Amino acid sequence: MTMEQKTFEIRSYGKSELAMMYFPDAASKASALKRLRYWLRINPRLRQLLDVPGNSFQPRHVQLIVDEVGEPY
């Protein structure tokens, strides 16, 4: 029996979708998004992402996050 290992795909993600991937134990999408925003705010390299308009991160934004904090679990 072999185990298939999932790899994280760098693509556009909804902000709440990505937040839930990083914080799957969060009580709600809003709670996960609040925690992700906190991460962005306290990290000087990611702080610029707080100003990304809309409800999604483009692949380049996702890559910045992954480069800085790693892939979500």
Side-chain angles (χ1 to χ4, degrees), residues 8 14-16 20-21 26 35 37 39 41 47 54 59 61-62 64 70:
F8 180 73
K15 290 179 180 179
S16 294
M20 287 299 294
M21 293 176 86
R35 290 168 71 179
R37 285 185 183 134
W39 270 16
R41 189 172 59 251
R47 194 171 297 135
H61 304 134
V62 174
L64 285 171

Side-chain angles (χ1 to χ4, degrees), residues 18 46 49 52-53 56-66:
L18 187 62
L46 298 177
L49 297 179
V52 170
S56 63
F57 288 120
Q58 297 302 314
R60 68 181 183 273
H61 304 134
V62 174
Q63 186 66 62
L64 285 171
I65 294 169
V66 169

Side-chain angles (χ1 to χ4, degrees), residues 15-16 19-20 22-39:
K15 290 179 180 179
S16 294
M20 287 299 294
Y22 276 104
F23 304 104
D25 62 333
S28 66
K29 287 181 182 181
S31 176
L33 188 55
K34 184 177 179 179
R35 290 168 71 179
L36 181 61
R37 285 185 183 134
Y38 174 77
W39 270 16

